[in-house]
C-alpha cells in the first residue's frame, strides 16, 4: 500500500496517535501511524512511546535489519520487521529484503549476488547460443558492448568479424553482411538497432529463413539497442538478452578499470610516475562512474562515462610523460574537458570534474598521496596511492578501498539519500507491476470510491479561490512585482481549470456518462496510487505524492490571494517555492533596484543573507516603494542539502546524521551591483539553487551565497567548498524537499 500520501480518513488516525518522539523524523512517524491501520500493528506507536529508549537505540543502529526489534516485537515475523523497517529506516529496506530472499528461497543468496566479470558472462552465454539464437545487448549509460564482443572474438577466433552501426540507409549493407556471415560463418554485430525499428521485422524474417535453410554453424549475430517499445517482441524472445552495466561498488569499478591495462606491460614499466598517475586515473574513473549511483546528488545529468574514456586518457598521459616533467595543467585540461568532459553538459558538473582532477593530479601523487578528495577535519578514512612495482600488488591494495560517501568527498548522509531513493523506486515499480484489474494495493470498490471522493472534496474548494479576472487586466503602469503576480495568477487559474475539468470528466466516465478513455484510466490509476496525474504535474516541477502536492497547491493559492490586495509591492514574506516561475520574482527584485538607482539590469545580481529567523518572527512589513528595494525581500522556502548551518554565526557546518535536508527559514534577498573579482569576499560558498532535489539545467534557479569560515585555496575549490576544510560535493539549496508542504 502506498504510504507517500494519506487520505483525509487517515488524518483522523493521526490525531489520536501519540506525539512524535524527539529522536524520530516527522516523516518516519507519519509512516508508523499509517502502519497502525494494518492488523497486528494497532499498538505500534504506543509501544514506541512506551519503550522510547530501546526503539531509539534500534532506530540509530548502523545495520538495523540485523538487530532484533525491541520488546515484544523481537518475536515478530521477518516480514513484519520489514514493514517497520520500511517506515522507520527506509534506507535499509533493500538490505532487509535481501535477508528475506535468503531465508525464503532455497539458495536465495545466489539471487543477491551478481557476477561482475563480463568475460565470464559472455563465455557462459556463448555456450548457450546457436547460429539462430542472437545476442541482444541492452545499452545502458556508459556501456560499451562492442569491446566485450571483441574480447570474445579474440577468445573464440571465428572466421571473421564485422561490425555495423545502424542508421538511415544502412539496411542494405546490414542485409549483405548477414547473408555472407550466415553462409561463411562470420560473426556480425549490428549496433544501435533501436534507430531502425521499421527494419527490425525484416531482420526477424531473415532469421526465420536462415533457420529453415540451415547454414554455417559458426555464424553468430550480435545486436545492441536502447530500451524501446518499438523493438519486435518476437525478436527479443529469440535472443539471449544481456546488459553490461558497470557494478555499483567503487572497489569493483576501480578494480575493473585497472584490469584494462595489461599486467605484463605494467610490470615492465620502470617509471614510477606512470604507475602512480595510472592508478590515480583508475581511481578518478571509479569516482565519476560510481558517483552516478547517488542520483541527482552525484551528477546533474546521466553521463555515459566508459572505459574507453579511461584508455584514451591513459594514452594521453603516456604521451605527456615522454617529455620528462609532468605538464599537469595540459593533462587535466584534456582529461577533464575533452575525454570525460566531452560527455558533461552542465557547468556545475564540469566544475566538479575539474575539482576532482585538481585534487588528484599533482606532484604529491608520487609521495604516497592520500587520494580521498578534500577530507573533513578528523577524518580517519584513508586510501593512498602506493609505490608498488607489480600489477598484482595494486589489486591487493584496491581491496582496502573504503566504500563510503566520504571516499567521494561527500557527506555521509549522501548514502542515506541514495538508499531511500532506491527503496522508493523499488516500491513504485512493485505498484506498477500490480494488475490494475486486481485493485490497487488490495483496495475494494468502496475504498476506491472513498479515495476518489477525498481528492474531489479537496480540489472542488479551489474553484472559489481563483484570482478574479479583473485583477489580471493589462496596466501600462504596473510594477515588476505586479507583472509577476499577474503571470502567476493566470497560470494558477489555468491549472485549477485543468484539475476541475479532469476530475469532472473522470466522475462522468465512472457514472457511465462519458466513455472511459486511456487518458481517464491513467488519471484514475494515478489517484488510486496517490500519485500526481501527468497533466497536473506538468504545471510545475515537483517530487511530491498526490496529497502533499494538493496541500502545497493550496498554500500556493493562499499566497496569491494574500498578495492580491497590493500586488504592486512584494509580500511581507514571500515563499519562493510557491511560485511557478521563481526566477521571475528574483528578476523583479533586480528590476525594482535598476529603476530606483538607474543601473543596468545585467550589472546586478541577487545577494542573499541567511537571517536565521522563523517567518512568524518577522513582525512588521518592509516599508513600501523606495526603501523596499534597498533593504531587500524576506524570502522563505529554501532548504539546504549536503551540510548544516549554525544559525547563530550563519556559517556552514557539518550536517547532523540522518538529517539530509535542513530548512533555512527566512533568507534576505536583495539586488546588488557586481563587484570586481579582486574585491569579492572569498569567504562565501557559491551555492546553486534548484527547484527540486532532482537537479538539472531546467531546474536551476540562481546562485546563492552562503558564509563559510575558511578561505578556499583554489578557484575550483571554491565551486565545491561547503564548510571548514570539508569539500562537500553535494551542497546545494532546494525550493522543494520530499514530504514538504
Amino acid at each position: 500500500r502506498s504510504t507517500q500520501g494519506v487520505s483525509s480518513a487517515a488524518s483522523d488516525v493521526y490525531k489520536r496517535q501519540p506525539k512524535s518522539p524527539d529522536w524520530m523524523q516527522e516523516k518516519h512517524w507519519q509512516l508508523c501511524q499509517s502502519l497502525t491501520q494494518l492488523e497486528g500493528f494497532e499498538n505500534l506507536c504506543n509501544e514506541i512511546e512506551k519503550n522510547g529508549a530501546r526503539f531509539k537505540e534500534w532506530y540509530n543502529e548502523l545495520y538495523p535489519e540485523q538487530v532484533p526489534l525491541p520488546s515484544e516485537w523481537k518475536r515478530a515475523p521477518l516480514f513484519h520487521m520489514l514493514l517497520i523497517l520500511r517506515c522507520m529506516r527506509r534506507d535499509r529496506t533493500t538490505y532487509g529484503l535481501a535477508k528475506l530472499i535468503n531465508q525464503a528461497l532455497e539458495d536465495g543468496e545466489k539471487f543477491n549476488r551478481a557476477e561482475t566479470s563480463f568475460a565470464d558472462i559472455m563465455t557462459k552465454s556463448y555456450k548457450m547460443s546457436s547460429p539462430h539464437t542472437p545476442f541482444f545487448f541492452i545499452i545502458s549509460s556508459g556501456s560499451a558492448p562492442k569491446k566485450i564482443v571483441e574480447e570474445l572474438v579474440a577468445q573464440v577466433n571465428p572466421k571473421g568479424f564485422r561490425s555495423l552501426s545502424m542508421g538511415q540507409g544502412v539496411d542494405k549493407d546490414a542485409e549483405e553482411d548477414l547473408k555472407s556471415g550466415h553462409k561463411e560463418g562470420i560473426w556480425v554485430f549490428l549496433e544501435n538497432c533501436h534507430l531502425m525499428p521499421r527494419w527490425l521485422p525484416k531482420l526477424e524474417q531473415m532469421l526465420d529463413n536462415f533457420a529453415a535453410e540451415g547454414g554455417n554453424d559458426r555464424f553468430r549475430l550480435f545486436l545492441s539497442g536502447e530500451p524501446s517499445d518499438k523493438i519486435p517482441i518476437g525478436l527479443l524472445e529469440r535472443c539471449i538478452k544481456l546488459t553490461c552495466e558497470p557494478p555499483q561498488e567503487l572497489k569493483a569499478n576501480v578494480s575493473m578499470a585497472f584490469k584494462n591495462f595489461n599486467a605484463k606491460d605494467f610490470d615492465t614499466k620502470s617509471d614510477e610516475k606512470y604507475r602512480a598517475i595510472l592508478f590515480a586515473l583508475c581511481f578518478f574513473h571509479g569516482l565519476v562512474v560510481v558517483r552516478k549511483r547517488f542520483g541527482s546528488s552525484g551528477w546533474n545529468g546521466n553521463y555515459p562515462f566508459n572505459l574507453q574514456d579511461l584508455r584514451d586518457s591513459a594514452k594521453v598521459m603516456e604521451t605527456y610523460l615522454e617529455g620528462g616533467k609532468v605538464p599537469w595543467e595540459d593533462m587535466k585540461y584534456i582529461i577533464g574537458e575533452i575525454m570525460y568532459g566531452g560527455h558533461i553538459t552542465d557547468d556545475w558538473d564540469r566544475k566538479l570534474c575539474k575539482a576532482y582532477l585538481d585534487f588528484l593530479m599533482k606532484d604529491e601523487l608520487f609521495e604516497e598521496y592520500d587520494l580521498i578528495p578534500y577530507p573533513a577535519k578528523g577524518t580517519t578514512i584513508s586510501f593512498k596511492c602506493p609505490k608498488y612495482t607489480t600489477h598484482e600488488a595494486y589489486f591487493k591494495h584496491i581491496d582496502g578501498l573504503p566504500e563510503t560517501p566520504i571516499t567521494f568527498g561527500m557527506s555521509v548522509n549522501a548514502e542515506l539519500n541514495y538508499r531511500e531513493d532506491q527503496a522508493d523506486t523499488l516500491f513504485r515499480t512493485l505498484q506498477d507491476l500490480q494488475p490494475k484489474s486486481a485493485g490497487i494495493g488490495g483496495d475494494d470498490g468502496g475504498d476506491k470510491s472513498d479515495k476518489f471522493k477525498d481528492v474531489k472534496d479537496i480540489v472542488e474548494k479551489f474553484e472559489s479561490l481563483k484570482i478574479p479576472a479583473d485583477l489580471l487586466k493589462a496596466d501600462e503602469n504596473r510594477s515588476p512585482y505586479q507583472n509577476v503576480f499577474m503571470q502567476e495568477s493566470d497560470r494558477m487559474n489555468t491549472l485549477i481549470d485543468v484539475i476541475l475539468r479532469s476530475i469532472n470528466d473522470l466522475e462522468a466516465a465512472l457514472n457511465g456518462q462519458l466513455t472511459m478513455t486511456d487518458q481517464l484510466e491513467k488519471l484514475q490509476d494515478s489517484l488510486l496510487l496517490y500519485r500526481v496525474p501527468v497533466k497536473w504535474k506538468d504545471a510545475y516541477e515537483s517530487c511530491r505524492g498526490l496529497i502533499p502536492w494538493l496541500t502545497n497547491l493550496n498554500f500556493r493559492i493562499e499566497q496569491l490571494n494574500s498578495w492580491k490586495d497590493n500586488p504592486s509591492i512584494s509580500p511581507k514574506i514571500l515563499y519562493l517555492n510557491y511560485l511557478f516561475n521563481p526566477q521571475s520574482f528574483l528578476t523583479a527584485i533586480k528590476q525594482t533596484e535598476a529603476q530606483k538607482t538607474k543601473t543596468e539590469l545585467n550589472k546586478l545580481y541577487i545577494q542573499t543573507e541567511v537571517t536565521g529567523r522563523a517567518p512568524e518572527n518577522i513582525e512588521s512589513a518592509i516599508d513600501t516603494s523606495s526603501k523596499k528595494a534597498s533593504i531587500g525581500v524576506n524570502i522563505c522556502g529554501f532548504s539546504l542539502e549536503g551540510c548544516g548551518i549554525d544559525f547563530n554565526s550563519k556559517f556552514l557546518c557539518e550536517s547532523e546524521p540522518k538529517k539530509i535536508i535542513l530548512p533555512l527559514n527566512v533568507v534576505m534577498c536583495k539586488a546588488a551591483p557586481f563587484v570586481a573579482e579582486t574585491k569579492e569576499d572569498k569567504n562565501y560558498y557559491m551555492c546553486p539553487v534548484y527547484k527540486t532535489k532532482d537537479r538539472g539545467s531546467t531546474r536551476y534557479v540562481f546562485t546563492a551565497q552562503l558564509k563559510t569560515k575558511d578561505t578556499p585555496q583554489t578557484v575550483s575549490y571554491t565551486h565545491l567548498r561547503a564548510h571548514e576544510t570539508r569539500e562537500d560535493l553535494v551542497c546545494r539549496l532546494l525550493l522543494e524537499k520530499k514530504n514538504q508542504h
Side-chain angles (χ1 to χ4, degrees), residues 301-320:
N302 187 18
Y303 305 121
F305 303 124
N306 55 66
L307 290 171
Q308 190 59 48
D309 299 326
L310 174 63
R311 288 188 284 265
D312 292 340
S313 298
K315 289 178 183 176
V316 170
M317 180 263 292
E318 279 192 79
T319 303
Y320 275 122

Side-chain angles (χ1 to χ4, degrees), residues 146-356:
K146 184 178 178 181
K147 178 70 177 176
I148 299 170
V149 175
E150 287 174 345
E151 291 175 357
L152 184 64
V153 168
Q155 179 184 340
V156 178
N157 194 25
K159 187 174 181 180
F161 176 65
R162 296 175 186 172
S163 175
L164 195 63
S165 183
M166 302 303 290
Q168 187 174 2
V170 187
D171 50 343
K172 298 297 181 183
D173 293 335
E175 290 171 19
E176 290 298 322
D177 285 348
L178 286 170
K179 290 176 183 177
S180 59
H182 177 253
K183 183 178 179 181
E184 301 173 19
I186 298 172
W187 287 13
V188 179
F189 189 8
L190 304 181
E191 301 181 77
N192 301 316
C193 291
H194 62 281
L195 299 178
M196 297 188 67
R198 295 183 180 178
W199 179 77
L200 294 180
K202 187 170 184 180
L203 170 62
E204 191 176 2
Q205 185 179 2
M206 290 182 69
L207 294 176
D208 290 336
N209 294 338
F210 289 163
E213 296 170 3
N216 196 308
D217 289 340
R218 301 190 67 185
F219 169 67
R220 292 294 185 275
L221 173 62
F222 301 85
L223 308 171
S224 74
E226 294 179 0
S228 172
D229 57 3
K230 296 180 181 179
I231 298 175
I233 297 296
L235 179 62
L236 290 174
E237 286 180 343
R238 74 197 305 161
C239 291
I240 298 172
K241 292 164 283 294
L242 301 165
T243 184
C244 46
E245 295 181 358
Q248 293 290 305
E249 294 75 25
L250 179 60
K251 189 185 301 182
N253 266 278
V254 176
S255 179
M256 185 173 64
F258 200 70
K259 197 180 292 184
N260 262 263
F261 301 96
N262 185 273
K264 185 177 180 180
D265 292 342
F266 184 86
D267 292 343
T268 55
K269 294 280 185 182
S270 59
D271 189 354
E272 67 175 21
K273 291 183 179 180
Y274 170 86
R275 292 193 292 269
I277 298 175
L278 180 62
F279 187 76
L281 273 176
C282 292
F283 181 71
F284 166 76
H285 176 81
L287 290 179
V288 298
V289 170
V290 182
R291 192 179 169 94
K292 290 189 288 185
R293 83 180 188 191
F294 295 102
S296 61
S297 295
W299 295 100
N300 281 351
N302 187 18
Y303 305 121
F305 303 124
N306 55 66
L307 290 171
Q308 190 59 48
D309 299 326
L310 174 63
R311 288 188 284 265
D312 292 340
S313 298
K315 289 178 183 176
V316 170
M317 180 263 292
E318 279 192 79
T319 303
Y320 275 122
L321 287 181
E322 293 173 359
K325 185 179 179 181
V326 182
W328 291 114
E329 293 303 318
D330 293 350
M331 191 186 303
K332 287 189 293 186
Y333 180 83
I334 291 181
I335 295 172
E337 299 291 335
I338 299 174
M339 300 305 179
Y340 286 87
H343 300 294
I344 300 173
T345 57
D346 184 88
D347 289 340
W348 291 97
D349 286 343
R350 195 174 296 277
K351 293 170 185 175
L352 187 153
C353 181
K354 185 177 185 298
Y356 272 143

Side-chain angles (χ1 to χ4, degrees), residues 361-404:
M361 299 293 156
K362 48 189 173 184
D363 289 332
E364 289 88 336
L365 193 64
F366 309 134
E367 302 300 329
E368 296 192 83
Y369 181 57
D370 195 337
L371 300 177
I372 303 296
Y374 307 108
K377 286 180 180 177
T379 297
T380 57
I381 292 174
S382 176
F383 184 69
K384 294 185 177 181
C385 183
K387 286 188 174 182
Y388 300 129
T389 57
T390 65
H391 197 259
E392 185 179 354
Y394 276 89
F395 274 112
K396 291 180 180 178
H397 184 69
I398 292 171
D399 288 338
L401 178 59
E403 291 279 354
T404 167

